[in-house]
Amino acid sequence: MVDLSAGASSPSRARRGLRLGARTLDRYLISLMARPMLAALAVAMIALMLERFLRMFGLMSGQHAGLLVIATMLANLVPHYLGLALPAAFCIGMIATLNGLARRHELDAMEAAGWSLRRVGAAFVASGVILSILALLLFGFAQPYARYAYREARHALVAAGWNGRVEEGVFVHFGDGTLLSAGRVGADGRTMAEVVLVVPDDGAETVVTARRGLVVPEPDARTVRLQLEHGVSMGPGGVLRFDRLLMARRFEAVGPFRPRGSIRELTLGELAAGAKAAEPARAAELRAELNGRLVRAVSLVGIALMSVPLGAARNRAPAWPRIALALAILTLYHHALTLAQESGARGALDPAFALWGICAVFTAGAGVAFARATSRGGGSRRRLAPGPR
């Protein structure tokens, strides 16, 4: 008698083995992609944050901000720059991974075992779907609140007033339009030489220059007294020379920061609700912002479809030309979306039609390239074992 139970269970065991093999392969590919992707993301974030820090340096030095204030402002910028760097880092991670697999002949081995390039790339496309969901949370909720928190922290820094210290060559702005600068400043930050003071005077300006000066802050931290020596005042009333001049200048009081409500500070739900109730001009801006965020999140799937055929190169072909090509395509795509969003916000065209139309063209082109992709590892096409195509 033939035991049919063993024979019947063999196909089931084979299918389970194939499923386990597919999951193992997907985990392996994603783990390989994670390293170059995170490295590219870290490099891009550091470069972007450093560039913003240098732009903020003048403001922070003029206000003498502490490390905690600086760290808070930079932390609130992380979601914004993460959204900028994520698509490029994801693309670089996939191309670098597939290029490494081709150079090590692992794509040849996978193809010989029956795993087509499309099946290998399915893991990256699935990663793109997951990242799209995370990007929706990033663009729709994290970025609006972080952007408002950054602007609120900046407002608090500016509203904190001035501590009476002067930086060499830096203009101090008073609330009434008065400007103060010094060519040389002592170690205390308040003893000055080569002083220039510009004071508004009935639609004109009075320019005061002095050899020496001293800044004396008042206890209320909103008023300072300026003591200038051996100088000249030139204004509508003529030229006046003086040996000593005392002036009191008051800073303009700054109130609390505005409530959250700028378009880029609204969440996806708030944008959708506002677009239905707002006046036509405001509704167009809200619809453009809403569709722009959704399109940028969904585009990560198209980026995955584009990167798989670009990444599978011949064994000894370098990866950088395809990375450069991919980044150029992403840059053009980003500018096309930006142009369509701005035109839609002005009411020149329907923002939903324009943005989703560009996204559809990009994703369709990437999908065709993915569907036509074949292994370029240069190895044999002989299959050693059955596997998913």
Side-chain angles (χ1 to χ4, degrees):
M1 180 180 294
V2 179
D3 186 2
L4 298 178
S5 61
S9 61
S10 295
S12 177
R13 286 199 298 270
R15 286 193 295 271
R16 285 198 299 270
L18 289 175
R19 286 195 295 269
L20 289 174
R23 287 197 292 268
T24 301
L25 176 66
D26 291 340
R27 286 195 298 268
Y28 173 67
L29 293 172
I30 292 173
S31 65
L32 284 180
M33 182 193 67
R35 289 191 287 270
M37 174 183 167
L38 292 177
L41 189 62
V43 171
M45 289 292 293
I46 291 173
L48 292 171
M49 297 287 285
L50 181 60
E51 187 269 342
R52 174 54 70 95
F53 174 77
L54 293 176
R55 287 165 54 189
M56 294 166 51
F57 185 77
L59 171 65
M60 293 183 295
S61 62
Q63 299 293 335
H64 298 273
L67 292 177
L68 181 59
V69 176
I70 297 173
T72 301
M73 295 181 69
L74 289 177
N76 289 325
L77 290 173
V78 169
H80 171 68
Y81 287 122
L82 183 60
L84 292 178
L86 180 60
F90 182 43
C91 180
I92 291 172
M94 286 182 287
I95 294 177
T97 299
L98 288 167
N99 186 75
L101 291 173
R103 292 174 67 86
R104 296 190 299 270
H105 301 285
E106 291 183 71
L107 279 182
D108 293 346
M110 293 176 188
E111 183 185 25
W115 301 87
S116 69
L117 179 60
R118 290 183 294 276
R119 177 58 188 86
V120 171
F124 302 129
V125 176
S127 300
V129 174
I130 295 173
L131 286 178
S132 292
I133 297 173
L134 296 177
L136 279 176
L137 300 177
L138 177 66
F139 298 151
F141 301 95
Q143 282 188 356
Y145 284 107
R147 183 172 286 110
Y148 177 77
Y150 168 78
R151 292 173 178 173
E152 186 178 29
R154 190 180 188 278
H155 171 84
L157 177 60
V158 174
W162 177 50
N163 62 1
R165 295 181 178 272
V166 180
E167 301 288 337
E168 289 187 3
V170 176
F171 279 95
V172 177
H173 296 257
F174 295 84
D176 59 356
T178 302
L179 302 178
L180 173 66
S181 180
R184 290 185 288 117
V185 180
D188 60 356
R190 292 175 177 144
T191 303
M192 305 176 293
E194 302 172 5
V195 183
V196 178
L197 183 69
V198 181
V199 182
D201 186 2
D202 294 332
E205 290 181 341
T206 296
V207 179
V208 181
T209 60
R211 294 181 184 177
R212 292 188 298 273
L214 180 65
V215 177
V216 182
E218 295 290 345
D220 64 0
R222 303 302 303 181
T223 306
V224 295
R225 287 187 291 112
L226 303 177
Q227 178 179 313
L228 305 178
E229 298 178 356
H230 306 295
V232 179
S233 173
M234 296 172 289
V239 178
L240 175 65
R241 297 183 181 273
F242 59 86
D243 293 329
R244 188 175 183 183
L245 177 66
L246 294 177
M247 301 179 64
R249 312 306 300 179
R250 184 170 180 82
F251 286 96
E252 181 182 357
V254 182
F257 193 52
R258 58 170 175 77
R260 186 174 61 88
S262 174
I263 288 182
R264 300 193 69 189
E265 297 169 359
L266 299 178
T267 63
L268 291 178
E270 292 168 342
L271 289 171
K276 296 178 181 179
E279 58 200 25
R282 173 78 171 178
E285 295 178 357
L286 294 171
R287 287 198 303 271
E289 181 69 21
L290 173 64
N291 286 280
R293 294 188 200 178
L294 294 175
V295 163
R296 283 177 169 81
V298 172
S299 297
L300 288 168
V301 178
I303 291 173
L305 294 172
M306 175 192 72
S307 301
V308 170
L310 282 177
R314 297 186 180 276
N315 292 341
R316 291 181 173 83
W320 67 263
R322 282 173 304 286
I323 291 177
L325 175 61
L327 294 180
I329 294 173
L330 291 182
T331 301
L332 291 174
Y333 180 59
H334 168 74
H335 286 299
L337 291 179
T338 301
L339 179 61
Q341 183 173 336
E342 292 176 351
S343 300
R346 294 194 303 267
L349 46 81
D350 184 1
F353 177 79
L355 288 166
W356 287 104
I358 294 172
C359 178
V361 171
F362 172 74
T363 305
V368 169
F370 179 83
R372 296 169 60 90
T374 57
S375 176
R376 296 179 178 86
S380 170
R381 293 183 176 272
R382 181 171 55 90
R383 294 170 56 188
L384 300 181
R389 297 296 293 176

